[in-house]
Every structure is written in structure tokens, then in C-alpha cells.
Amino acid sequence: MKTAKTDILEIAYCQSGPDDGWPVVLSHGFPYDVHAYAEVAPVLAAAGAKVIVPYLRGFGLTRFLSKQTMRSGQQAALGADVIGLMDALGLETAILAGFDWGGLASCVASALWPERVEGLVSYAGYDIIDVERQRHAFSPSLEQAMWYQHLFQSERGRECLRENRHELCRILWSQWSPNWSFDDNTFLRSAAAFENPDFVDVVTHSYRFDFGLEEGDPALAALERKLSNSPKIVVPAVTLDGTQDPLKPGGTADHANMFASYHEHRVYACGHAFPFETPEAFADAVLTIHDRAA
């Protein structure tokens, strides 16, 4: 485990592969952690990649540098953290890859700072949030799957996450990946990251901001305005879908028009925890992007 300081965070991260390898940043989601890439990172490292797997803000050993910094979980913050980490590590460019919050962070960084991104792997699709759309209802089946987001809008939900974070997050793992038979050790290894002192604040702010019910960090307002225009992603991209993911009914193949460069969409029989469930496919997508950039 290593750490690197940005303007606002000390980011903890795992690194593998040669120091002079081609850089790739693998970002995890909620409620997961760096162990989501335990079987992906070695494949990429063996192929010559310098693999960086950071703990997102609010997870693991990543910490805010100041008590005064807003514990924001909004999309612009997550994307800016990726670029900040690259700056701290002296990486001019990198391949970005992620799922859930990590896919969001990777898409945001690719859309706002394309000159820093060699290519993108995203589960699922164009994963930039349309906050205005989030103010309105989705289909009842999707609203049911999003129950945790509704719960987090209230102080009752904050209390539930604070007092029962392991039980709540384990329910999400099971519901989102119905055919993945993970064991206790696998979950508990990742659940240790949820003990971060900022975990509850960052998570609840993220979903309240996404629903348009809580203000974002004023320092990120200009970036959020850019994202509200749904900027197209102009870097080469491979997008991934899991057919058993209740959060992505019907998949994201219809996002193709949001990618203005090389784009390939791949579909697999798995759930939401894609790199856990189908690590070979995730690694292969990253290698595809690397081969195109080489």
C-alpha cells in the first residue's frame, strides 16, 4: 500500500507491475474496494502495465487533508480525484477503467480531461449522471432496485448506513450479483474499507446530490455545469454490460452515440460486480485499449 497527496486528499493505492510500464488506473465502486481488481491487476501487470488501484474518497485508508473540506461524493469530485492522483504520481496520461463509482469517475475524467486519457474501459456504458433526469421517476422495477438511494435521502438512512454498514452493503452485493457466490472472507476483506471515518458522509452526499436534493461543492460547480451538457467521450473506449445486473435493465448498448472515437461494446453473463465476477473479460478490455494506443 502506498499513498499520494493531491490538493485535498491523501489517496491510498495499490501498485503492481513494472515502474516504467504503461499506466492504468483501476477505480472501484460503492460498496466495494481495491480488492475488486485482485484478479485483474496481475493479468495487466504481467502484460507490462503499471497498475494503480486507488481507494476512492471515503474508502479504506484514503483521507481528506483538511477538516474543512466538504465531504462531497458528487461525480465531478470523483473524476477530479483521478486526475489529481495522476498529477501526484507524475503520470501525464493513463488508461482509465472502472465500474460503478469507479466507472463514473473514469468517464468524468475522460470527458473533462481527454488529453490525459489514453483510453477508457467503463462498466456500464456512458456512466455520467444526468442530475436533472434523476429528479424524475424511473420504471417501478428500477426504482425498486434503487431502494438504497432513496433510503440515503433521509437522516434515517444515514443512521442505517452508519450503524449497519456491513449488513446493508452485503445485501447490495447479493442483490446486484445474484449468481455470484462470494464467501464471507471475500466480503469482509472489502468491508474493512467501509470503516473510513468519511464513508457515511461521502456516500450519502453522493446520492443526495445525484437526486438534486443536496448542493454540491461550490469549488466543483464549473465542472458540474460542463457535465450537465452530457459531453461526448472522445477517447477510445470499451464499454461493458452484465446481463444479470438489476441496476442496468436492458444494458447500455444504446449509449454508443456518446462515444466519438473508437468504441466497442461487450456483454457478459454476470452481475454488477463485473471485475470480481468476470476478471478475465475486464482485463481483456483494458488490453484492447492498450493495443489500440500502442
Side-chain angles (χ1 to χ4, degrees), residues 27-205:
S27 297
H28 68 81
F30 165 81
Y32 305 96
D33 83 326
V34 297
H35 292 97
Y37 296 105
E39 295 184 50
V40 176
V43 176
L44 300 179
K50 179 178 182 178
V51 185
I52 308 297
V53 189
Y55 280 103
L56 272 61
R57 56 170 57 200
F59 290 78
L61 296 176
T62 291
R63 296 290 186 272
F64 287 88
L65 299 179
S66 170
K67 293 181 179 180
Q68 280 67 51
T69 302
M70 182 177 181
R71 270 43 177 175
S72 168
Q74 68 196 90
Q75 57 185 348
L78 301 178
D81 288 347
V82 174
I83 300 300
L85 176 61
M86 290 174 58
D87 288 342
L89 298 179
L91 301 178
E92 183 177 347
T93 62
I95 293 173
L96 305 184
F99 75 111
D100 196 86
W101 284 24
L104 171 62
S106 300
C107 283
V108 166
S110 298
L112 295 181
W113 295 278
E115 70 280 2
R116 304 294 302 278
V117 183
E118 289 285 346
L120 168 71
V121 173
S122 172
Y123 179 92
Y126 180 84
D127 202 7
I128 294 177
I129 296 167
D130 183 344
V131 176
E132 184 59 35
R133 172 66 184 89
Q134 293 277 110
R135 296 175 185 269
H136 305 284
F138 294 98
S139 68
S141 61
L142 183 54
E143 293 289 351
Q144 180 186 40
M146 293 166 56
W147 63 268
Y148 64 102
Q149 298 188 26
H150 294 288
L151 178 65
F152 295 158
Q153 303 307 311
S154 69
E155 290 307 296
R156 177 176 179 147
R158 181 192 295 273
E159 179 183 350
C160 183
L161 182 61
R162 183 178 66 246
E163 302 300 326
N164 305 282
R165 65 191 73 189
H166 285 200
E167 181 181 0
L168 189 155
C169 292
R170 184 160 188 152
I171 289 171
L172 296 179
W173 276 38
S174 296
Q175 289 183 345
W176 296 351
S177 299
N179 295 313
W180 177 35
S181 299
F182 60 88
D183 58 22
D184 289 344
N185 288 337
T186 299
F187 175 75
L188 292 174
R189 184 177 61 175
S190 290
F194 312 156
E195 300 304 322
N196 183 297
D198 300 305
F199 176 76
V200 174
D201 287 343
V202 170
V203 170
T204 54
H205 179 265

Side-chain angles (χ1 to χ4, degrees), residues 31 59 185 195 235 244 267 289:
F59 290 78
N185 288 337
E195 300 304 322
V235 303
Q244 299 159 5
V267 181
I289 291 296

